[in-house]
Coordinates of all heavy atoms in Angstrom, one line a residue:
E1 N -7.3 -68.2 -27.1 CA -7.0 -69.5 -26.5 C -8.0 -70.6 -26.9 O -7.6 -71.7 -27.2 CB -7.1 -69.4 -25.0 CG -6.0 -68.5 -24.4 CD -6.1 -68.4 -22.9 OE1 -6.6 -69.4 -22.2 OE2 -5.7 -67.3 -22.4
D2 N -9.3 -70.3 -27.0 CA -10.3 -71.2 -27.4 C -10.1 -71.6 -28.9 O -10.3 -72.9 -29.2 CB -11.7 -70.7 -27.3 CG -12.1 -70.5 -25.8 OD1 -11.5 -71.2 -24.9 OD2 -12.9 -69.7 -25.5
V3 N -9.8 -70.7 -29.7 CA -9.6 -71.0 -31.2 C -8.4 -71.9 -31.3 O -8.4 -72.9 -32.0 CB -9.4 -69.7 -32.0 CG1 -9.0 -70.0 -33.4 CG2 -10.7 -68.9 -31.9
R4 N -7.3 -71.6 -30.6 CA -6.1 -72.5 -30.6 C -6.4 -73.9 -30.1 O -5.9 -74.9 -30.7 CB -5.0 -71.8 -29.8 CG -4.4 -70.6 -30.5 CD -3.3 -70.1 -29.6 NE -2.7 -68.9 -30.2 CZ -2.9 -67.6 -29.7 NH1 -3.6 -67.5 -28.6 NH2 -2.4 -66.6 -30.3
L5 N -7.3 -74.0 -29.1 CA -7.7 -75.3 -28.5 C -8.4 -76.1 -29.6 O -8.2 -77.3 -29.7 CB -8.5 -75.1 -27.3 CG -9.0 -76.4 -26.7 CD1 -7.8 -77.2 -26.2 CD2 -9.9 -76.0 -25.5
I6 N -9.2 -75.5 -30.4 CA -10.0 -76.2 -31.5 C -9.0 -76.9 -32.5 O -9.0 -78.0 -32.8 CB -10.9 -75.3 -32.3 CG1 -12.0 -74.8 -31.4 CG2 -11.4 -75.9 -33.5 CD1 -12.8 -73.7 -31.9
W7 N -8.0 -76.1 -32.9 CA -7.0 -76.6 -33.9 C -6.1 -77.7 -33.2 O -5.8 -78.7 -33.8 CB -6.1 -75.5 -34.5 CG -6.9 -74.2 -35.0 CD1 -6.5 -72.9 -34.7 CD2 -8.1 -74.2 -35.8 NE1 -7.4 -72.1 -35.3 CE2 -8.4 -72.8 -36.0 CE3 -8.9 -75.2 -36.3 CZ2 -9.5 -72.4 -36.7 CZ3 -10.0 -74.8 -37.1 CH2 -10.3 -73.4 -37.3
N8 N -5.7 -77.4 -32.0 CA -4.9 -78.4 -31.4 C -5.6 -79.7 -31.1 O -5.0 -80.8 -31.3 CB -4.3 -77.8 -30.0 CG -3.3 -76.7 -30.2 OD1 -2.7 -76.6 -31.2 ND2 -3.2 -75.9 -29.2
N9 N -6.8 -79.6 -30.7 CA -7.6 -80.9 -30.5 C -7.8 -81.6 -31.8 O -7.7 -82.9 -31.8 CB -9.0 -80.6 -29.9 CG -8.9 -80.3 -28.4 OD1 -7.9 -80.6 -27.8 ND2 -9.9 -79.7 -27.8
C10 N -8.1 -80.9 -32.9 CA -8.3 -81.5 -34.2 C -7.0 -82.2 -34.6 O -7.1 -83.4 -35.1 CB -8.7 -80.5 -35.2 SG -9.1 -81.2 -36.8
M11 N -5.8 -81.6 -34.4 CA -4.6 -82.3 -34.8 C -4.3 -83.5 -33.8 O -3.7 -84.5 -34.2 CB -3.4 -81.3 -34.8 CG -3.6 -80.3 -36.0 SD -2.2 -79.2 -36.1 CE -2.5 -78.1 -34.8
L12 N -4.7 -83.4 -32.5 CA -4.4 -84.4 -31.5 C -5.3 -85.6 -31.8 O -4.8 -86.8 -31.7 CB -4.7 -83.8 -30.1 CG -4.6 -84.8 -29.0 CD1 -3.1 -85.1 -28.8 CD2 -5.1 -84.2 -27.7
Y13 N -6.5 -85.4 -32.1 CA -7.4 -86.6 -32.3 C -7.6 -87.0 -33.7 O -8.5 -87.9 -33.9 CB -8.8 -86.2 -31.7 CG -8.7 -86.0 -30.2 CD1 -8.8 -84.7 -29.6 CD2 -8.5 -87.1 -29.3 CE1 -8.7 -84.6 -28.2 CE2 -8.4 -86.9 -28.0 CZ -8.5 -85.7 -27.4 OH -8.4 -85.5 -26.1
N14 N -6.9 -86.6 -34.6 CA -6.8 -87.1 -36.0 C -5.4 -87.4 -36.4 O -4.4 -86.9 -35.9 CB -7.4 -86.0 -37.0 CG -8.9 -85.8 -36.8 OD1 -9.6 -86.6 -37.2 ND2 -9.2 -84.7 -36.2
Q15 N -5.3 -88.4 -37.2 CA -4.0 -89.0 -37.6 C -3.2 -87.9 -38.4 O -3.7 -87.2 -39.2 CB -4.2 -90.2 -38.5 CG -3.0 -91.0 -38.8 CD -3.3 -92.2 -39.6 OE1 -4.4 -92.5 -39.9 NE2 -2.2 -92.9 -39.9
D16 N -1.9 -87.9 -38.1 CA -1.0 -87.0 -38.8 C -1.1 -87.3 -40.3 O -1.1 -88.5 -40.7 CB 0.5 -87.3 -38.4 CG 0.8 -86.8 -37.0 OD1 -0.1 -86.3 -36.3 OD2 1.9 -87.0 -36.5
G17 N -1.2 -86.2 -41.1 CA -1.3 -86.4 -42.5 C -2.7 -86.6 -43.0 O -2.9 -86.5 -44.2
S18 N -3.7 -86.8 -42.1 CA -5.1 -86.9 -42.6 C -5.6 -85.5 -43.1 O -5.0 -84.5 -42.8 CB -6.0 -87.4 -41.4 OG -6.1 -86.4 -40.5
E19 N -6.7 -85.5 -43.8 CA -7.2 -84.3 -44.3 C -7.6 -83.3 -43.2 O -7.4 -82.2 -43.3 CB -8.4 -84.6 -45.2 CG -8.1 -85.1 -46.6 CD -7.1 -84.3 -47.4 OE1 -7.4 -83.1 -47.5 OE2 -6.1 -84.8 -47.9
F20 N -8.2 -83.9 -42.1 CA -8.6 -83.0 -41.0 C -7.3 -82.4 -40.3 O -7.3 -81.3 -39.9 CB -9.4 -83.9 -39.9 CG -10.8 -84.2 -40.5 CD1 -11.2 -85.5 -40.7 CD2 -11.7 -83.2 -40.7 CE1 -12.4 -85.8 -41.1 CE2 -13.0 -83.5 -41.1 CZ -13.4 -84.8 -41.3
Y21 N -6.3 -83.2 -40.2 CA -5.1 -82.8 -39.6 C -4.5 -81.6 -40.4 O -4.1 -80.6 -39.9 CB -4.1 -83.9 -39.4 CG -2.8 -83.5 -38.7 CD1 -2.7 -83.8 -37.3 CD2 -1.7 -83.0 -39.3 CE1 -1.5 -83.4 -36.6 CE2 -0.6 -82.6 -38.7 CZ -0.5 -82.8 -37.3 OH 0.6 -82.5 -36.6
K22 N -4.4 -81.8 -41.7 CA -3.8 -80.9 -42.6 C -4.7 -79.5 -42.5 O -4.1 -78.4 -42.5 CB -3.8 -81.4 -44.0 CG -2.8 -82.4 -44.2 CD -2.9 -83.0 -45.6 CE -2.0 -84.2 -45.9 NZ -2.1 -84.7 -47.3
L23 N -6.0 -79.6 -42.5 CA -6.9 -78.5 -42.5 C -6.7 -77.7 -41.2 O -6.6 -76.5 -41.2 CB -8.3 -78.9 -42.6 CG -8.8 -79.2 -44.1 CD1 -10.2 -79.7 -44.1 CD2 -8.8 -77.9 -44.9
A24 N -6.6 -78.5 -40.1 CA -6.4 -77.8 -38.8 C -5.1 -77.1 -38.8 O -5.1 -75.9 -38.2 CB -6.5 -78.9 -37.6
K25 N -4.1 -77.7 -39.2 CA -2.7 -77.1 -39.3 C -2.8 -75.8 -40.2 O -2.3 -74.8 -39.8 CB -1.7 -78.0 -39.8 CG -0.3 -77.5 -39.8 CD 0.6 -78.6 -39.2 CE 2.0 -78.2 -39.0 NZ 2.3 -77.9 -37.7
K26 N -3.5 -75.9 -41.3 CA -3.6 -74.7 -42.2 C -4.4 -73.6 -41.5 O -4.0 -72.4 -41.5 CB -4.3 -75.1 -43.4 CG -4.5 -74.1 -44.5 CD -5.3 -74.6 -45.7 CE -5.6 -73.5 -46.7 NZ -6.3 -74.0 -47.8
F27 N -5.5 -73.9 -40.9 CA -6.3 -73.0 -40.2 C -5.6 -72.4 -39.0 O -5.7 -71.1 -38.7 CB -7.6 -73.5 -39.8 CG -8.6 -73.7 -40.9 CD1 -9.4 -74.8 -41.0 CD2 -8.7 -72.7 -41.9 CE1 -10.3 -75.0 -42.0 CE2 -9.6 -72.9 -43.0 CZ -10.4 -74.0 -43.0
A28 N -4.8 -73.2 -38.3 CA -4.0 -72.7 -37.1 C -3.0 -71.7 -37.6 O -2.9 -70.6 -37.0 CB -3.3 -73.9 -36.4
N29 N -2.3 -71.9 -38.7 CA -1.3 -71.0 -39.2 C -2.0 -69.8 -39.7 O -1.5 -68.7 -39.4 CB -0.5 -71.7 -40.4 CG 0.4 -72.8 -39.8 OD1 0.8 -72.8 -38.7 ND2 0.7 -73.7 -40.7
R30 N -3.1 -69.9 -40.4 CA -3.8 -68.7 -40.9 C -4.3 -67.8 -39.8 O -4.2 -66.6 -39.7 CB -5.0 -69.1 -41.8 CG -5.7 -67.9 -42.3 CD -6.8 -68.3 -43.2 NE -6.2 -68.4 -44.6 CZ -6.9 -69.0 -45.6 NH1 -8.0 -69.6 -45.4 NH2 -6.3 -69.1 -46.8
F31 N -4.8 -68.5 -38.7 CA -5.3 -67.8 -37.5 C -4.2 -66.9 -36.9 O -4.4 -65.8 -36.5 CB -5.9 -68.7 -36.5 CG -6.2 -68.0 -35.2 CD1 -7.3 -67.2 -35.0 CD2 -5.4 -68.2 -34.1 CE1 -7.6 -66.6 -33.8 CE2 -5.6 -67.6 -32.9 CZ -6.7 -66.8 -32.8
E32 N -3.0 -67.6 -36.7 CA -1.9 -66.9 -36.1 C -1.5 -65.7 -36.9 O -1.1 -64.7 -36.4 CB -0.7 -67.9 -35.8 CG -1.0 -68.9 -34.8 CD -1.4 -68.4 -33.5 OE1 -1.0 -67.3 -33.1 OE2 -2.2 -69.1 -32.8
E33 N -1.4 -65.8 -38.2 CA -1.1 -64.7 -39.1 C -2.0 -63.5 -38.9 O -1.6 -62.4 -38.7 CB -1.1 -65.2 -40.6 CG 0.1 -66.1 -41.0 CD -0.1 -66.6 -42.4 OE1 -1.0 -66.1 -43.1 OE2 0.6 -67.5 -42.7
K34 N -3.3 -63.9 -39.0 CA -4.3 -62.8 -38.8 C -4.3 -62.2 -37.4 O -4.4 -61.0 -37.2 CB -5.7 -63.4 -39.1 CG -5.9 -63.9 -40.5 CD -6.0 -62.8 -41.5 CE -6.3 -63.4 -42.9 NZ -6.4 -62.4 -43.9
F35 N -4.2 -63.1 -36.4 CA -4.2 -62.7 -35.0 C -3.0 -61.7 -34.7 O -3.1 -60.7 -34.0 CB -4.1 -63.8 -34.1 CG -4.2 -63.4 -32.6 CD1 -5.4 -63.0 -32.0 CD2 -3.1 -63.5 -31.8 CE1 -5.5 -62.6 -30.7 CE2 -3.1 -63.2 -30.4 CZ -4.3 -62.7 -29.9
N36 N -1.8 -62.0 -35.2 CA -0.7 -61.2 -35.0 C -0.8 -59.8 -35.7 O -0.2 -58.9 -35.2 CB 0.6 -61.9 -35.6 CG 1.0 -63.1 -34.7 OD1 0.8 -63.1 -33.4 ND2 1.6 -64.1 -35.3
K37 N -1.6 -59.7 -36.7 CA -1.8 -58.4 -37.3 C -2.7 -57.5 -36.4 O -2.5 -56.3 -36.5 CB -2.5 -58.6 -38.6 CG -1.6 -59.1 -39.7 CD -2.4 -59.2 -41.0 CE -1.5 -59.8 -42.1 NZ -2.1 -60.0 -43.4
V38 N -3.6 -58.1 -35.6 CA -4.4 -57.2 -34.8 C -4.1 -57.2 -33.3 O -4.7 -56.5 -32.6 CB -5.9 -57.7 -34.9 CG1 -6.4 -57.5 -36.3 CG2 -6.1 -59.1 -34.4
K39 N -3.1 -58.0 -33.0 CA -2.6 -58.0 -31.6 C -2.2 -56.7 -31.2 O -1.4 -56.0 -31.9 CB -1.5 -59.1 -31.3 CG -1.2 -59.3 -29.9 CD 0.0 -60.2 -29.7 CE -0.1 -61.6 -30.4 NZ 1.1 -62.4 -30.1
V40 N -2.6 -56.2 -30.0 CA -2.2 -54.9 -29.5 C -1.0 -55.0 -28.8 O -0.9 -55.8 -27.8 CB -3.3 -54.3 -28.6 CG1 -2.9 -52.9 -28.0 CG2 -4.7 -54.2 -29.4
D41 N 0.1 -54.3 -29.2 CA 1.4 -54.3 -28.6 C 1.3 -53.3 -27.4 O 0.6 -52.2 -27.6 CB 2.5 -54.0 -29.5 CG 2.7 -55.1 -30.5 OD1 2.4 -56.3 -30.2 OD2 3.1 -54.8 -31.6
E42 N 2.0 -53.5 -26.4 CA 2.1 -52.5 -25.3 C 2.8 -51.3 -25.8 O 3.9 -51.4 -26.3 CB 2.8 -53.1 -24.1 CG 2.8 -52.2 -22.9 CD 3.3 -53.0 -21.6 OE1 3.2 -54.2 -21.6 OE2 3.8 -52.3 -20.8
V43 N 2.3 -50.2 -25.6 CA 2.8 -48.9 -26.0 C 3.6 -48.3 -24.9 O 3.1 -48.2 -23.8 CB 1.7 -47.9 -26.5 CG1 2.3 -46.6 -26.8 CG2 0.9 -48.5 -27.6
V44 N 4.8 -47.9 -25.2 CA 5.7 -47.2 -24.2 C 5.5 -45.7 -24.4 O 5.8 -45.2 -25.4 CB 7.2 -47.7 -24.3 CG1 8.0 -46.9 -23.3 CG2 7.3 -49.2 -24.2
V45 N 5.1 -45.1 -23.3 CA 5.0 -43.7 -23.4 C 6.3 -43.0 -22.8 O 6.6 -43.2 -21.7 CB 3.7 -43.2 -22.5 CG1 3.6 -41.7 -22.6 CG2 2.5 -43.9 -23.1
D46 N 6.9 -42.2 -23.6 CA 8.2 -41.6 -23.2 C 8.0 -40.2 -22.7 O 8.9 -39.5 -22.3 CB 9.2 -41.7 -24.2 CG 8.8 -41.1 -25.6 OD1 7.8 -40.3 -25.6 OD2 9.5 -41.2 -26.6
G47 N 6.8 -39.6 -22.9 CA 6.6 -38.2 -22.4 C 7.0 -37.1 -23.3 O 6.7 -36.0 -23.1
E48 N 7.7 -37.5 -24.4 CA 8.2 -36.5 -25.3 C 7.1 -36.1 -26.4 O 7.2 -35.1 -26.9 CB 9.4 -37.0 -26.1 CG 10.6 -37.2 -25.2 CD 11.8 -37.7 -25.9 OE1 11.9 -37.6 -27.1 OE2 12.7 -38.2 -25.2
D49 N 6.2 -37.0 -26.6 CA 5.2 -36.7 -27.6 C 3.9 -36.3 -27.0 O 3.0 -37.1 -26.7 CB 4.9 -38.0 -28.4 CG 4.1 -37.8 -29.7 OD1 3.8 -36.7 -30.0 OD2 3.6 -38.8 -30.3
D50 N 3.8 -35.0 -26.7 CA 2.7 -34.4 -26.0 C 1.6 -33.9 -26.9 O 0.6 -33.3 -26.4 CB 3.1 -33.3 -25.1 CG 3.9 -33.8 -23.9 OD1 3.7 -35.0 -23.5 OD2 4.7 -33.1 -23.3
R51 N 1.7 -34.2 -28.2 CA 0.7 -33.7 -29.2 C -0.5 -34.5 -29.0 O -0.4 -35.7 -28.8 CB 1.3 -33.7 -30.6 CG 1.5 -35.1 -31.1 CD 1.9 -35.2 -32.5 NE 2.2 -36.5 -32.9 CZ 1.3 -37.5 -33.2 NH1 0.0 -37.2 -33.0 NH2 1.6 -38.7 -33.5
P52 N -1.7 -33.9 -29.4 CA -2.9 -34.8 -29.3 C -2.9 -35.7 -30.5 O -2.2 -35.5 -31.6 CB -4.0 -33.7 -29.5 CG -3.3 -32.5 -30.0 CD -1.9 -32.5 -29.6
P53 N -3.6 -36.9 -30.4 CA -3.5 -37.9 -31.5 C -4.3 -37.3 -32.7 O -5.2 -36.5 -32.6 CB -4.3 -39.0 -30.9 CG -5.1 -38.5 -29.8 CD -4.4 -37.3 -29.3
S54 N -3.8 -37.7 -33.9 CA -4.4 -37.3 -35.1 C -5.7 -38.0 -35.3 O -6.0 -39.0 -34.6 CB -3.5 -37.6 -36.3 OG -3.4 -39.0 -36.5
L55 N -6.5 -37.6 -36.2 CA -7.8 -38.2 -36.6 C -7.5 -39.6 -37.0 O -8.3 -40.6 -36.6 CB -8.6 -37.4 -37.7 CG -9.9 -38.0 -38.1 CD1 -10.8 -38.1 -36.9 CD2 -10.5 -37.1 -39.2
E56 N -6.5 -39.8 -37.8 CA -6.2 -41.2 -38.3 C -5.8 -42.1 -37.1 O -6.3 -43.3 -37.1 CB -5.0 -41.1 -39.3 CG -4.6 -42.4 -39.8 CD -3.4 -42.4 -40.7 OE1 -3.1 -41.3 -41.2 OE2 -2.9 -43.4 -41.1
E57 N -5.1 -41.6 -36.1 CA -4.7 -42.4 -35.0 C -5.9 -42.7 -34.1 O -6.1 -43.8 -33.6 CB -3.7 -41.7 -34.1 CG -2.3 -41.6 -34.8 CD -1.4 -40.6 -34.1 OE1 -1.8 -39.6 -33.5 OE2 -0.2 -40.9 -34.1
K58 N -6.8 -41.7 -34.0 CA -8.1 -41.9 -33.3 C -8.9 -43.0 -33.9 O -9.5 -43.9 -33.2 CB -8.9 -40.7 -33.1 CG -8.2 -39.6 -32.1 CD -9.1 -38.4 -32.1 CE -8.5 -37.3 -31.3 NZ -9.3 -36.1 -31.3
T59 N -9.1 -42.9 -35.2 CA -9.9 -43.8 -36.0 C -9.3 -45.2 -35.9 O -10.1 -46.2 -35.7 CB -10.0 -43.4 -37.5 OG1 -10.5 -42.1 -37.5 CG2 -10.8 -44.3 -38.3
K60 N -8.0 -45.3 -36.0 CA -7.3 -46.7 -35.9 C -7.6 -47.3 -34.5 O -7.9 -48.5 -34.4 CB -5.8 -46.6 -36.3 CG -5.1 -47.8 -36.3 CD -3.7 -47.7 -36.7 CE -3.0 -49.0 -36.8 NZ -1.6 -48.9 -37.2
F61 N -7.4 -46.5 -33.5 CA -7.6 -46.9 -32.1 C -9.0 -47.4 -32.0 O -9.3 -48.5 -31.4 CB -7.3 -45.8 -31.2 CG -7.5 -46.2 -29.7 CD1 -6.6 -46.9 -29.0 CD2 -8.7 -45.8 -29.1 CE1 -6.9 -47.3 -27.7 CE2 -8.9 -46.1 -27.7 CZ -8.0 -46.9 -27.1
A62 N -10.0 -46.6 -32.4 CA -11.4 -46.9 -32.2 C -11.7 -48.2 -33.0 O -12.5 -49.1 -32.5 CB -12.3 -45.8 -32.8
H63 N -11.1 -48.4 -34.2 CA -11.4 -49.7 -34.9 C -10.8 -50.9 -34.3 O -11.4 -51.9 -34.1 CB -10.8 -49.5 -36.3 CG -11.0 -50.7 -37.2 ND1 -12.2 -51.1 -37.7 CD2 -10.1 -51.6 -37.6 CE1 -12.1 -52.1 -38.4 NE2 -10.8 -52.5 -38.4
N64 N -9.6 -50.7 -33.8 CA -8.9 -51.9 -33.1 C -9.4 -52.2 -31.7 O -9.2 -53.3 -31.3 CB -7.4 -51.6 -33.1 CG -6.7 -51.7 -34.5 OD1 -7.2 -52.4 -35.3 ND2 -5.6 -51.0 -34.6
I65 N -10.0 -51.3 -31.0 CA -10.5 -51.6 -29.7 C -11.5 -52.6 -29.7 O -11.6 -53.4 -28.7 CB -10.9 -50.3 -29.0 CG1 -10.9 -50.4 -27.4 CG2 -12.3 -49.9 -29.4 CD1 -9.5 -50.3 -26.9
Y66 N -12.3 -52.8 -30.7 CA -13.3 -53.8 -30.9 C -12.7 -55.2 -31.1 O -13.4 -56.2 -31.0 CB -14.3 -53.5 -32.0 CG -15.2 -52.3 -31.6 CD1 -14.9 -51.1 -32.1 CD2 -16.2 -52.5 -30.7 CE1 -15.7 -50.0 -31.7 CE2 -17.0 -51.4 -30.3 CZ -16.8 -50.2 -30.9 OH -17.6 -49.1 -30.5
K67 N -11.4 -55.3 -31.4 CA -10.8 -56.6 -31.7 C -10.2 -57.3 -30.5 O -9.7 -58.4 -30.7 CB -9.7 -56.4 -32.8 CG -10.3 -55.9 -34.1 CD -9.2 -55.7 -35.1 CE -9.7 -55.1 -36.4 NZ -8.7 -55.0 -37.4
I68 N -10.3 -56.7 -29.3 CA -9.6 -57.3 -28.2 C -10.7 -57.8 -27.2 O -11.8 -57.5 -27.2 CB -8.7 -56.3 -27.4 CG1 -9.4 -55.1 -26.9 CG2 -7.6 -55.9 -28.4 CD1 -8.6 -54.2 -26.0
K69 N -10.2 -58.7 -26.4 CA -11.1 -59.4 -25.4 C -11.5 -58.4 -24.4 O -10.8 -57.5 -24.1 CB -10.4 -60.7 -24.8 CG -10.1 -61.7 -25.7 CD -9.4 -62.8 -24.9 CE -8.7 -63.8 -25.9 NZ -7.9 -64.8 -25.1
S70 N -12.6 -58.7 -23.6 CA -13.0 -57.8 -22.6 C -12.0 -57.7 -21.5 O -11.9 -56.6 -20.9 CB -14.4 -58.3 -22.0 OG -14.3 -59.6 -21.5
E71 N -11.3 -58.8 -21.1 CA -10.3 -58.7 -20.1 C -9.2 -57.8 -20.5 O -8.7 -57.0 -19.7 CB -9.7 -60.1 -19.8 CG -10.7 -61.2 -19.5 CD -11.3 -61.9 -20.7 OE1 -10.6 -62.2 -21.7 OE2 -12.5 -62.2 -20.6
E72 N -8.8 -57.9 -21.8 CA -7.7 -57.0 -22.3 C -8.2 -55.6 -22.3 O -7.4 -54.7 -22.1 CB -7.3 -57.5 -23.6 CG -6.6 -58.8 -23.6 CD -6.4 -59.4 -25.0 OE1 -7.2 -59.2 -25.9 OE2 -5.4 -60.2 -25.2
L73 N -9.5 -55.4 -22.5 CA -10.0 -54.0 -22.6 C -9.9 -53.4 -21.3 O -9.5 -52.2 -21.2 CB -11.5 -54.0 -23.1 CG -12.1 -52.6 -23.2 CD1 -11.4 -51.7 -24.1 CD2 -13.6 -52.8 -23.6
G74 N -10.1 -54.1 -20.2 CA -9.9 -53.6 -18.8 C -8.5 -53.2 -18.6 O -8.2 -52.1 -18.0
E75 N -7.6 -53.9 -19.1 CA -6.1 -53.6 -19.0 C -5.8 -52.3 -19.8 O -5.1 -51.4 -19.3 CB -5.2 -54.7 -19.5 CG -5.3 -55.9 -18.6 CD -4.5 -57.1 -19.2 OE1 -3.5 -56.7 -19.9 OE2 -4.8 -58.2 -18.9
V76 N -6.4 -52.2 -21.0 CA -6.2 -50.9 -21.8 C -6.7 -49.7 -21.1 O -6.1 -48.7 -21.0 CB -6.9 -51.1 -23.1 CG1 -6.9 -49.7 -23.9 CG2 -6.2 -52.1 -24.0
V77 N -7.9 -49.8 -20.4 CA -8.5 -48.7 -19.8 C -7.6 -48.3 -18.5 O -7.4 -47.1 -18.3 CB -10.0 -49.0 -19.3 CG1 -10.5 -47.9 -18.4 CG2 -10.8 -49.1 -20.5
T78 N -7.2 -49.3 -17.8 CA -6.3 -49.1 -16.7 C -5.0 -48.3 -17.1 O -4.6 -47.4 -16.5 CB -6.0 -50.4 -15.9 OG1 -7.2 -51.0 -15.5 CG2 -5.0 -50.2 -14.8
K79 N -4.4 -48.8 -18.2 CA -3.1 -48.2 -18.6 C -3.4 -46.8 -19.2 O -2.6 -45.9 -19.0 CB -2.5 -49.0 -19.8 CG -1.9 -50.3 -19.3 CD -1.3 -51.2 -20.3 CE -0.8 -52.5 -19.7 NZ -0.2 -53.3 -20.8
L80 N -4.5 -46.6 -19.8 CA -4.9 -45.3 -20.3 C -5.1 -44.4 -19.2 O -4.6 -43.2 -19.2 CB -6.2 -45.4 -21.2 CG -6.6 -44.1 -21.9 CD1 -5.5 -43.6 -22.8 CD2 -7.9 -44.4 -22.6
D81 N -5.8 -44.8 -18.1 CA -6.0 -44.0 -17.0 C -4.7 -43.6 -16.3 O -4.5 -42.5 -15.8 CB -7.0 -44.7 -16.0 CG -7.4 -43.8 -14.9 OD1 -7.6 -42.6 -15.1 OD2 -7.6 -44.3 -13.7
Q82 N -3.7 -44.5 -16.3 CA -2.5 -44.2 -15.6 C -1.6 -43.3 -16.4 O -1.0 -42.4 -15.9 CB -1.7 -45.5 -15.4 CG -2.3 -46.5 -14.4 CD -1.7 -47.8 -14.4 OE1 -0.9 -48.2 -15.3 NE2 -1.9 -48.6 -13.4
S83 N -1.6 -43.5 -17.8 CA -0.7 -42.6 -18.6 C -1.3 -41.3 -19.0 O -0.7 -40.4 -19.3 CB -0.2 -43.4 -19.8 OG -1.3 -43.7 -20.6
C84 N -2.7 -41.3 -19.1 CA -3.4 -40.0 -19.6 C -4.7 -39.9 -18.9 O -5.8 -40.1 -19.5 CB -3.5 -40.2 -21.1 SG -4.1 -38.7 -21.9
P85 N -4.7 -39.6 -17.6 CA -6.0 -39.6 -16.8 C -7.0 -38.7 -17.3 O -8.2 -38.9 -17.2 CB -5.5 -39.1 -15.4 CG -4.1 -38.8 -15.5 CD -3.5 -39.2 -16.8
H86 N -6.6 -37.5 -18.0 CA -7.6 -36.7 -18.5 C -8.3 -37.2 -19.8 O -9.3 -36.6 -20.2 CB -7.0 -35.2 -18.8 CG -6.0 -35.3 -19.8 ND1 -4.7 -35.6 -19.6 CD2 -6.1 -35.0 -21.2 CE1 -4.0 -35.6 -20.7 NE2 -4.8 -35.2 -21.7
A87 N -7.9 -38.3 -20.3 CA -8.5 -38.8 -21.5 C -9.8 -39.6 -21.3 O -10.6 -39.7 -22.2 CB -7.5 -39.8 -22.2
L88 N -10.1 -39.9 -20.0 CA -11.3 -40.7 -19.7 C -12.3 -39.8 -19.0 O -11.9 -38.9 -18.2 CB -10.9 -41.8 -18.7 CG -10.0 -42.9 -19.3 CD1 -9.7 -43.9 -18.2 CD2 -10.6 -43.6 -20.5
D89 N -13.5 -39.9 -19.4 CA -14.6 -39.1 -18.8 C -15.1 -39.9 -17.6 O -15.8 -40.9 -17.7 CB -15.7 -38.9 -19.8 CG -16.8 -38.0 -19.3 OD1 -16.6 -37.3 -18.3 OD2 -17.9 -38.0 -19.9
K90 N -14.7 -39.4 -16.4 CA -15.0 -40.1 -15.1 C -16.2 -39.5 -14.5 O -16.1 -38.3 -14.0 CB -13.8 -40.1 -14.2 CG -12.6 -40.8 -14.8 CD -11.4 -40.7 -13.8 CE -10.2 -41.2 -14.5 NZ -9.0 -41.0 -13.7
K91 N -17.3 -40.1 -14.4 CA -18.5 -39.6 -13.8 C -18.8 -40.4 -12.5 O -18.7 -41.6 -12.6 CB -19.7 -39.7 -14.8 CG -19.5 -38.8 -16.0 CD -20.7 -38.9 -16.9 CE -20.4 -38.0 -18.1 NZ -21.5 -38.1 -19.1
P92 N -19.2 -39.8 -11.5 CA -19.5 -40.6 -10.3 C -20.6 -41.5 -10.5 O -21.6 -41.2 -11.2 CB -19.8 -39.6 -9.2 CG -20.1 -38.3 -9.9 CD -19.4 -38.4 -11.3
E93 N -20.6 -42.7 -9.9 CA -21.7 -43.7 -10.0 C -22.9 -43.1 -9.3 O -22.8 -42.6 -8.2 CB -21.3 -45.0 -9.5 CG -20.2 -45.7 -10.3 CD -19.9 -47.1 -9.7 OE1 -20.8 -47.8 -9.1 OE2 -18.8 -47.6 -9.9
K94 N -24.1 -43.4 -9.9 CA -25.3 -42.9 -9.2 C -26.0 -44.2 -8.6 O -26.0 -45.2 -9.2 CB -26.3 -42.3 -10.1 CG -25.7 -40.9 -10.7 CD -26.7 -40.3 -11.7 CE -26.1 -39.0 -12.2 NZ -27.0 -38.4 -13.2
D95 N -26.5 -44.0 -7.4 CA -27.2 -45.1 -6.7 C -28.6 -45.4 -7.3 O -29.3 -44.6 -7.7 CB -27.3 -44.9 -5.2 CG -25.9 -45.0 -4.7 OD1 -25.0 -45.6 -5.3 OD2 -25.7 -44.4 -3.6

């Protein structure tokens, strides 16, 4: 959201067709292209695929998990806990 705000403000406060406007539009389009490649889509679990994930799937997941916001990470952990509770190592909190 913050990155989009930068490009939108640049286009809002600079004249249409100016170099700054054109650059902001170009960067906004490039950002959306790159962001759409790393956006995590919601995975639907149908229960038919009970095999453990492959090393390639684990590696891809580990790499992509660093690309999401902390708020989204909380959602991922919640969904993971709901769909595959044994996947998380749950240790009781110590005082």
Side-chain angles (χ1 to χ4, degrees):
E1 293 176 31
D2 292 337
V3 173
R4 289 184 181 107
L5 181 61
I6 293 169
W7 311 136
N8 290 336
N9 282 344
C10 188
M11 289 185 286
L12 179 66
Y13 294 107
N14 288 285
Q15 185 176 2
D16 290 1
S18 71
E19 289 301 313
F20 290 114
Y21 185 94
K22 290 177 187 176
L23 281 171
K25 187 133 182 104
K26 179 181 175 181
F27 286 139
N29 291 335
R30 180 178 274 164
F31 170 78
E32 293 302 329
E33 289 173 11
K34 300 285 184 181
F35 182 74
N36 286 331
K37 288 182 182 178
V38 298
K39 190 187 301 184
V40 179
D41 293 332
E42 187 170 333
V43 177
V44 177
V45 178
D46 58 11
E48 294 180 18
D49 190 9
D50 289 337
R51 66 173 178 75
S54 67
L55 178 59
E56 182 181 345
E57 291 169 327
K58 289 178 184 179
T59 303
K60 186 175 179 180
F61 177 80
H63 179 71
N64 287 334
I65 202 74
Y66 289 102
K67 296 180 181 178
I68 63 175
K69 297 178 193 175
S70 59
E71 304 86 39
E72 293 169 330
L73 181 58
E75 292 177 28
V76 169
V77 171
T78 301
K79 287 178 183 180
L80 184 60
D81 189 34
Q82 291 170 348
S83 64
C84 190
H86 64 277
L88 299 176
D89 185 16
K90 300 175 187 173
K91 296 181 182 177
E93 292 184 28
K94 295 180 181 179
D95 292 336

